[in-house]
Amino acid sequence: MLNWLTNPFQAARIYFASKKPATRIDHRAQGQDAALILIHGFSGNTGATWSGLVDLLLREPKIATWDIFGLGFPTSLRVDVPGIWAADPDLTILSQGLRTSLSLPPLNRYSALAIAAHSMGGLVIQRALLDDELIASRIVHLLLLGTPSNGLAKARLLGRWKRQIRDMATNSPFILSLRKNWSDKYPTQTPFSLRVIAGDRDEFVPSTSSLSPFPSRTQAVVPGNHLEIAKPTSADHETFQFFVESLSGGRSVRPVVDGARLALELRHFQTAVNTLLPRAAELDDNALVSLALALEGTGRGPEALAVLEDRYRGGTSSTEALGVLGGRLKRRWLVERIQADFARARELYAQGLEQAENCGDHDQAYYHAINIAFLDLMAIPPASGITAEVRSMAERANGHCETATLTNWRLATAGEAQLMLENLETATILYSAAIEKTLSPRQIESMYSQAVQVAERVFGQEGVNRIERVFDLLRS
């Protein structure tokens, strides 16, 4: 608790920050009786986090009776230095600010509220509902997307830089209090409709944190990484369908493929195989990868690769199939840190690299090489320096980049290799060039995700700051 006597100016600054309404975007404000509130997450943006989704919602006639607002709050990757630089408020302060916004015009006029929160924003709204019974009584729907409700183990390593990261750490006072208070208030079910949604390629939040604290009937897994799950590009995407289902009062049985995807995320591999394998001929690419992962989990690796080679995108090369499966195992290892996933992902990338080099496919070769280097880098303890193995593989990836087709991915890969070779300035130049050649925000987010992890591991906060500046204008 803040000490008013020893630090009155800092205490006053945080107190008044909590009373200031969050940044608001009025997407549709027609004076309806019900409103949907969209809340972003850590280092997010009130508008950009939900880009695409809002346009789809505004065009959907089934929810035309809902007004739609975006709410934001101060958050960034920049280091907190309380009392010297402006620091981002902790999560308890953010929840107080959210409560203030919901209690003031125009949001206090709505008798029914649906809240959709991404990532850290889901922690903020959970705390707000526990602390404010009046606001909780107005909630009819709560959707939590990629929210680390059980905390993040990796946050403990970075918590000294950021209050918000510190609060998200597993077993932090904030998380422990949140989960106990939630269980006490809602021991069996909530008085509002609850959906907790994970991304099948979420590289930050494991299902043990986003899904496991809540009943199985509320859980869902949709295609996409941590950022993509909040940015559906079409009305067919499951995220958008969950929104429409909730706001229109629809109730649907969980589709077979969605159930299998959830089973896979919870590591019920045989259940997923039994569900998906008989339908392999009719599965889309996302479901095919889920089937391949489930087959891997039951020890049927060759069959997993055969499924991808035969059916993925109408048939793909063995080198590409190795990369697809390796990438999903890499993602799972990053969030769950199960050694078998690391070993298998590295093995698949190594096979892909050998095949690509044997046939002179430099584009595939740099892809596999940089991912081997990334895995090896992430596997060594922080601040232990760059190993010879990482440096050698980064140089190998960089060599293939020099002769590969000039694309945004070649430039981004070369940038990542330069980070591992401790050439920060060169890396930022290459990433800037890659961004200039990239039209897709999702591709930019993918580049950013791995770049910031490598930069933090090699250069610490200085590297994070530099990469943040390169991507700042384009990252959500």
Side-chain angles (χ1 to χ4, degrees):
M1 189 169 180
L2 204 63
N3 190 326
W4 283 82
L5 297 177
T6 59
N7 200 344
F9 296 107
Q10 180 68 1
R13 185 190 66 76
I14 292 178
Y15 174 81
F16 286 114
S18 73
K19 301 304 179 183
K20 182 180 179 181
T23 303
R24 194 183 82 231
I25 297 177
D26 299 358
H27 297 293
R28 181 163 64 204
Q30 299 175 344
Q32 307 279 8
D33 293 329
L36 167 65
I37 313 296
L38 302 170
I39 302 171
H40 64 73
F42 177 69
S43 76
N45 178 282
T46 310
T49 291
W50 304 98
S51 61
L53 174 64
V54 171
D55 291 337
L56 291 170
L57 292 172
L58 292 174
R59 293 197 299 265
E60 175 53 58
K62 291 181 181 179
I63 59 171
T65 57
W66 287 80
D67 284 347
I68 303 174
F69 298 88
L71 277 184
F73 48 77
T75 178
S76 74
L77 287 175
R78 295 179 179 85
V79 65
D80 288 345
V81 184
I84 301 176
W85 298 336
D88 293 333
D90 62 28
L91 300 195
T92 300
I93 296 299
L94 291 182
S95 74
Q96 294 172 1
L98 176 60
R99 291 164 53 194
T100 300
S101 293
L102 295 176
S103 67
L104 294 174
L107 301 182
N108 65 340
R109 300 171 186 155
Y110 293 94
S111 57
L113 295 174
I115 305 288
H118 179 247
S119 191
M120 186 183 76
L123 299 176
V124 174
I125 183 59
Q126 288 180 69
R127 186 70 264 169
L129 297 185
L130 291 170
D131 293 341
D132 196 316
E133 190 60 43
L134 181 60
I135 289 176
S137 68
R138 297 162 59 201
I139 303 298
V140 292
H141 300 289
L142 178 62
L143 294 90
L144 305 178
L145 287 78
T147 294
S149 294
N150 230 10
L152 295 173
K154 65 182 70 175
R156 289 197 299 268
L157 303 175
L158 303 175
R160 65 183 183 276
W161 290 335
K162 297 291 299 181
R163 302 171 181 180
Q164 293 172 0
I165 296 178
R166 177 196 63 204
D167 283 349
M168 285 190 285
T170 302
N171 295 327
S172 70
F174 179 89
I175 291 294
L176 291 175
S177 173
L178 183 71
R179 294 275 58 84
K180 181 181 185 305
N181 295 161
W182 189 272
S183 296
D184 290 345
K185 187 170 185 177
Y186 307 120
T188 57
Q189 65 181 41
T190 56
F192 43 81
S193 169
L194 174 65
R195 277 283 194 183
V196 290
I197 301 170
D200 65 1
R201 296 193 303 278
D202 193 328
E203 64 272 40
F204 296 112
V205 182
S207 59
T208 52
S209 188
S210 60
L211 301 181
S212 296
F214 305 98
S216 61
R217 65 179 180 274
T218 68
Q219 300 170 353
V221 178
V222 302
N225 63 28
H226 188 65
L227 298 173
E228 289 171 347
I229 59 175
K231 304 174 186 293
T233 56
S234 74
D236 295 330
H237 194 279
E238 285 91 331
T239 294
F240 176 70
Q241 293 172 1
F242 281 131
F243 273 76
V244 174
E245 174 190 308
S246 296
L247 300 182
S248 65
R251 290 291 183 270
S252 62
V253 177
R254 180 181 287 152
V256 170
V257 171
D258 292 352
R261 190 181 289 120
L262 177 60
L264 176 62
E265 194 66 25
L266 299 176
R267 305 186 75 85
H268 302 158
F269 300 125
Q270 192 60 55
T271 299
V273 169
N274 294 343
T275 302
L276 294 176
L277 190 56
R279 298 169 173 261
E282 61 191 67
L283 298 178
D284 63 18
D285 285 350
N286 278 310
L288 281 172
V289 178
S290 294
L291 172 56
L293 275 174
L295 288 166
E296 273 283 340
T298 57
R300 297 159 69 176
E303 192 174 349
L305 288 170
V307 164
L308 295 177
E309 290 176 38
D310 292 344
R311 303 186 182 278
Y312 187 76
R313 294 177 185 164
T316 187
S317 72
S318 60
T319 306
E320 292 170 325
L322 288 163
V324 170
L325 190 52
R328 291 293 292 273
L329 288 166
K330 177 187 74 172
R331 190 285 306 173
R332 201 163 69 188
W333 173 74
L334 286 171
V335 296
E336 298 182 11
R337 292 290 169 154
I338 294 176
Q339 183 62 25
D341 286 340
F342 171 87
R344 182 56 174 156
R346 197 184 188 288
E347 178 185 7
L348 290 167
Y349 283 131
Q351 292 176 19
L353 176 59
E354 181 180 4
Q355 289 184 21
E357 289 182 335
N358 286 341
C359 65
D361 188 342
H362 296 290
D363 296 82
Q364 280 292 311
Y366 73 63
Y367 168 78
H368 289 283
I370 200 66
N371 276 292
I372 294 172
F374 176 80
L375 282 170
D376 288 346
L377 178 65
M378 293 296 108
I380 61 178
S384 60
I386 307 299
T387 64
E389 290 78 12
V390 171
R391 182 176 294 276
S392 175
M393 193 56 68
E395 290 173 343
R396 196 163 163 183
N398 195 60
H400 285 294
C401 285
E402 291 175 353
T403 51
T405 307
L406 180 58
T407 65
N408 56 341
W409 289 115
R410 169 189 148 174
L411 292 165
T413 300
E416 188 173 333
Q418 290 301 320
L419 285 177
M420 297 178 188
L421 296 172
E422 300 179 274
N423 299 322
L424 182 56
E425 190 64 35
T426 303
T428 59
I429 293 171
L430 287 163
Y431 275 118
S432 296
I435 291 170
E436 288 181 3
K437 291 181 70 68
T438 304
L439 298 178
S440 167
R442 281 167 174 74
Q443 289 186 358
I444 292 172
E445 288 162 357
S446 179
M447 293 175 189
Y448 172 81
S449 173
Q450 195 148 309
V452 76
Q453 293 180 75
V454 174
E456 189 278 328
R457 184 58 61 95
V458 178
F459 295 100
Q461 188 61 37
E462 178 192 1
V464 171
N465 291 343
R466 292 293 299 276
I467 293 299
E468 171 77 358
R469 283 197 289 272
V470 172
F471 284 87
D472 195 46
L473 295 178
L474 296 165
R475 187 183 52 80
S476 64

